[in-house]
Amino acid sequence: MERLVHTNPGRTILLLVAQVSVLTLICPAQQTQVSKPSVVSSLSELRSDDAGERAEAYEQLRSDPSAIHSPKVQTALLDLLDREEHVIESTLRGSHEQVGVSDKYGEGYGEYVAELADTVNSFADWNDPHQACILVHESYNPDSRFAAEIASHWKTAIPCLVKMYGSDVGLTRGQAAPVLVRALTYSRDGLDPATLQAVRGIIVRALHDPHEAVRGNTVEALGSFGGEDMIPTLKAVAETDPSPEVQGHSIRKSASQAIAAIQKRGGGQ
Amino acid sequence: VEIILGAELSTYCSLPGGCATTATETSSSGSSGASSLANLITNADQGVLLSFQAVEGSQSQTTNVYCYAPGCPNEIPWELTSHTGGSNPGVINSYLATISSGGGVSLATLNLPGQQGPIQPVLQRADTSYIGTASTSSGNLMMAFTPGNILWTVPNDAPKIATADGGIIGTSGTTYDSNGKASGQTATSIQSWTGSESGIAYQYGSVDQVALTPPVIYTVPPFWSFAGANQSGSNTSALCHDDRDKLITEYPKYNAGYLPICFASEFVPASNAQPTFHFTFAELNTSDIHFSPPDVPDWAILRAVLLSGLENTRANYGGQAITINSAYRSPLVQNAVSPLFPHDRHIHGDAADMATSSSQMIWNSLHNAAITAGACVEPEAQSTVNHVHADWRSGCPAGWRK
């Protein structure tokens, strides 16, 4: 009898082979604790003297959809925007317009205020003169979408812009005058004669304002939105504006370009 | 390091049968091995954590009786005349193997009731615990765990981002504190980093650069803070193994609100001396280069929108030269310049401050040129006449854009 011995050696099955790259790292993480203040504490921090804390509190509130719909929060943010506008203007005033908030606090401050203004604009009532004036006083470019929105709310905005033009800060007047030019395009048939006269007077005065920004911005606004009735005044600016030409740029040249633009449009204020 | 998990051993032996014409072969096997593919995640810079399930105690036995002599029923040599057998499926255990960079292995079991499949580690928190997912007979779970211990579980969510305070942002958009308690809700789901700008999630420039508002303070490498290893979820290393890692680490340190990705094309090296036709690397990284001491001077984040935006601004400016006061700033430099507001656009690599010689007409002309080139321009009431700040973020405040 043949003895059968059938031995199968142990079979090893490789179930998994993992190639592991072990990472070599440079430096460990550093942590910063994230605070999650309540709405109440955020509202309190909106009144902080520290601009960074105010901005952080605003971010906290903005990120809370339920908070942002609260009338109490909305009132606080409107008040905050009002106060930040005063910070911006007083910073300019205190430095004879040589130092702005972006120099003093950093450009992030301007970003914060601009975002705050957009937030406030999302719920503000433009028919309320107080709220409208806070929005009008925000810092913005006179050729911006926001300036266009201000102009479109001319009924409540024009009184604010007229008051704003009375500021002793040139850059504040330099925002108000060009937006008044723009507002006239919306209010053509609705403005009472006295107010219309007052606005036109401001625009003409702005073209001879001692501050270059006021003259330059107003000339540009007239180039975009002005009527033929402004051409004689612009001609005078093109001939007599005192600012020198710098690297090929001057208010006189801008005035000539504005006249050409108005003529091309065929007037229409 | 080669890791071999589990082995199955089978032995066969045959014994002569009790009669001259038969032999009985008994085959028995027992196995212990991984029952599914393992899941791997880095353990900070110490090695890896491997998660797998293994079947243990599985056994089977069969007995075959052969006839091998003449006279078998069909006269076929080695004819199988009878077969008997039985088996025991064993038990499945879930394992977490902590494997050091030197190859040392520490094994721990971690079983959930009704668990189906291995635990999937997704993130590692800065306290070295992990956040992962598991499938159980009662549903899917998000869980925090250490090898051997379950810290907490949350049903029906999955981890997306680990934040520096030990919290988690789930793919549902729910935020959780370090104990797994829901603490809030981001305004939009962050399932995709490529989503359009809306609500609370902001997208800057290219698709892989996202920040949340309020800023999320991420943990940074070596901890695995993002599902998929980085913000784009590409499962590639969040590390560059060069000076870019130092730059990346500065972002959470200074509360920058987002974390750049190592291999994003926006990282430009100094060797690319002319990243765009009219502007040099040295101009665009001047703030970091001239900081004392220079901060990562050989790398800068220079987004394509900045480079094209500056070229277009220059063209709109009549082709005249533009002097850059400052473009990219590292978070460290930004923090030194502006400690109250450490996260402005310069750290995103899409902003530039252009010199005006304090001329109103140059300010107006550069402003117009940049606005026409699609920039967001800071109002003069904030910047003053001394410079024009322009940036090319994907959304800008209504007062900054035409």
Side-chain angles (χ1 to χ4, degrees):
Chain A
M1 183 179 74
E2 185 179 346
R3 179 187 172 92
L4 172 66
V5 180
H6 177 186
T7 302
N8 190 339
R11 289 177 294 167
T12 301
I13 301 171
L14 185 64
L15 295 176
L16 177 69
V17 176
Q19 295 292 335
V20 180
S21 297
V22 178
L23 301 175
T24 305
L25 303 170
I26 294 173
C27 55
Q30 300 201 30
Q31 291 186 70
T32 308
Q33 288 298 314
V34 177
S35 60
K36 292 184 173 64
S38 66
V39 171
V40 172
S41 64
S42 291
L43 286 172
S44 171
E45 285 169 11
L46 291 181
R47 303 202 67 84
S48 169
D49 290 335
D50 183 318
E53 283 183 9
R54 295 196 300 274
E56 194 173 325
Y58 158 67
E59 287 291 350
Q60 292 291 343
L61 291 169
R62 184 172 72 147
S63 66
D64 184 343
S66 60
I68 213 73
H69 289 104
S70 154
K72 190 174 180 182
V73 170
Q74 292 182 354
T75 301
L77 293 180
L78 196 68
D79 175 63
L80 177 65
L81 180 61
D82 191 23
R83 284 183 283 119
E84 301 299 6
E85 287 163 3
H86 283 96
V87 170
I88 292 168
E89 191 166 30
S90 65
T91 301
L92 290 170
R93 183 179 292 115
S95 65
H96 301 288
E97 304 189 40
Q98 294 305 301
V99 175
V101 284
S102 69
D103 300 313
K104 190 173 180 179
Y105 301 113
E107 286 168 343
Y109 175 85
E111 292 180 14
Y112 143 63
V113 175
E115 298 287 354
L116 171 62
D118 282 359
T119 301
V120 170
N121 189 26
S122 71
F123 59 73
D125 178 5
W126 279 93
N127 294 317
D128 178 332
H130 175 67
Q131 295 186 37
C133 278
I134 289 173
L135 289 166
V136 167
H137 273 85
E138 190 225 327
S139 53
Y140 44 83
N141 291 313
D143 58 354
S144 66
R145 287 177 294 180
F146 191 70
E149 185 166 5
I150 290 171
S152 72
H153 294 286
W154 59 270
K155 277 187 181 172
T156 46
I158 282 180
C160 307
L161 290 164
V162 169
K163 186 180 175 190
M164 200 173 157
Y165 186 76
S167 171
D168 61 334
V169 175
L171 289 174
T172 302
R173 298 195 303 278
Q175 260 186 215
V179 182
L180 279 170
V181 171
R182 201 165 185 171
L184 286 185
T185 65
Y186 288 88
S187 60
R188 186 177 304 158
D189 301 320
L191 211 55
D192 66 85
T195 306
L196 180 61
Q197 184 74 5
V199 170
R200 286 184 188 278
I202 286 174
I203 292 169
V204 172
R205 284 205 303 282
L207 290 171
H208 301 284
D209 194 284
H211 200 289
E212 272 190 315
V214 186
R215 302 198 306 278
N217 292 349
T218 306
V219 165
E220 288 190 4
L222 287 169
S224 298
F225 306 106
E228 286 180 323
D229 60 321
M230 293 305 298
I231 288 177
T233 313
L234 283 169
K235 275 185 178 167
V237 173
E239 291 166 3
T240 63
D241 187 88
S243 289
E245 181 173 310
V246 182
Q247 294 178 17
H249 305 282
S250 71
I251 291 177
R252 291 187 184 195
K253 276 190 175 177
S254 287
S256 297
Q257 289 163 359
I259 292 167
I262 291 170
Q263 288 171 335
K264 190 176 178 183
R265 282 199 304 274
Q269 184 174 305
Chain B
V1 178
E2 183 178 78
I3 304 165
I4 301 173
L5 288 178
E8 179 181 327
L9 297 175
S10 296
T11 56
Y12 293 83
C13 60
S14 296
L15 298 172
C19 68
T21 60
T22 64
T24 300
E25 178 187 83
T26 300
S27 169
S28 64
S29 68
S31 69
S32 177
S35 64
S36 62
L37 285 178
N39 298 311
L40 198 63
I41 190 172
T42 57
N43 175 21
D45 56 354
Q46 304 299 308
V48 296
L49 177 79
L50 194 69
S51 169
F52 63 94
Q53 284 191 311
V55 179
E56 294 174 300
S58 169
Q59 292 179 324
S60 65
Q61 182 169 353
T62 58
T63 301
N64 298 325
V65 179
Y66 297 93
C67 174
Y68 66 94
C72 290
N74 297 305
E75 298 190 350
I76 300 170
W78 301 108
E79 184 177 355
L80 181 65
T81 56
S82 71
H83 170 85
T84 56
S87 65
N88 174 3
V91 294
I92 298 176
N93 274 315
S94 189
Y95 283 97
L96 295 168
T98 304
I99 303 164
S100 72
S101 52
V105 178
S106 168
L107 204 59
T109 56
L110 192 66
N111 292 304
L112 292 156
Q115 186 174 337
Q116 298 169 338
I119 293 164
Q120 170 73 59
V122 178
L123 307 171
Q124 186 179 30
R125 299 194 288 189
D127 67 357
T128 72
S129 65
Y130 300 92
I131 309 294
T133 58
S135 177
T136 72
S137 55
S138 56
N140 295 326
L141 299 174
M142 175 167 75
M143 60 187 290
F145 62 95
T146 58
N149 292 298
I150 298 168
L151 304 178
W152 49 259
T153 62
V154 169
N156 303 319
D157 205 350
K160 185 72 178 176
I161 300 172
T163 57
D165 61 351
I168 296 297
I169 301 175
T171 54
S172 64
T174 302
T175 58
Y176 301 91
D177 67 13
S178 59
N179 296 315
K181 184 181 175 188
S183 56
Q185 180 77 29
T186 53
T188 56
S189 167
I190 50 171
Q191 285 279 1
S192 168
W193 292 107
T194 60
S196 61
E197 179 185 4
S198 62
I200 213 160
Y202 284 80
Q203 180 182 327
Y204 302 117
S206 64
V207 296
D208 55 3
Q209 300 291 338
V210 180
L212 297 178
T213 302
V216 171
I217 304 172
Y218 307 123
T219 55
V220 294
F223 300 104
W224 192 293
S225 303
F226 295 92
N230 58 48
Q231 283 178 320
S232 62
S234 61
N235 287 309
T236 54
S237 173
L239 297 177
C240 310
H241 303 289
D242 58 31
D243 278 355
R244 283 173 291 180
D245 290 335
K246 180 177 184 299
L247 211 47
I248 289 171
T249 304
E250 289 182 8
Y251 279 78
K253 180 177 180 181
Y254 294 105
N255 189 15
Y258 90 108
L259 198 62
I261 297 170
C262 173
F263 295 104
S265 59
E266 287 85 359
F267 269 113
V268 175
S271 58
N272 183 359
Q274 198 80 34
T276 184
F277 194 73
H278 291 104
F279 299 91
T280 66
F281 178 89
E283 286 178 281
L284 299 172
N285 199 29
T286 182
S287 295
D288 289 6
I289 291 170
H290 294 106
F291 194 69
S292 181
D295 186 46
V296 197
D298 292 337
W299 286 96
I301 294 176
L302 302 173
R303 295 178 187 274
V305 286
L306 170 69
L307 301 177
S308 61
L310 284 173
E311 286 293 342
N312 291 334
T313 300
R314 192 181 188 280
N316 297 336
Y317 191 56
Q320 291 179 269
I322 293 172
T323 301
I324 303 296
N325 286 347
S326 178
Y328 178 68
R329 294 200 284 261
S330 72
L332 184 150
V333 171
Q334 174 65 29
N335 191 66
V337 170
S338 172
L340 286 177
F341 291 89
H343 44 76
D344 79 3
R345 297 308 309 176
H346 290 274
I347 62 170
H348 293 264
D350 59 19
D353 292 343
M354 298 177 279
T356 61
S357 304
S358 297
S359 160
Q360 184 62 47
M361 288 317 296
I362 291 179
W363 196 98
N364 281 25
S365 299
L366 278 174
H367 161 267
N368 292 341
I371 286 279
T372 306
C376 311
V377 178
E378 184 182 31
E380 191 181 359
Q382 294 173 358
S383 69
T384 72
V385 72
N386 296 323
H387 73 272
V388 171
H389 165 96
D391 66 68
W392 281 268
R393 72 186 90 172
S394 60
C396 68
W400 290 37
R401 173 173 282 181
K402 198 164 185 174

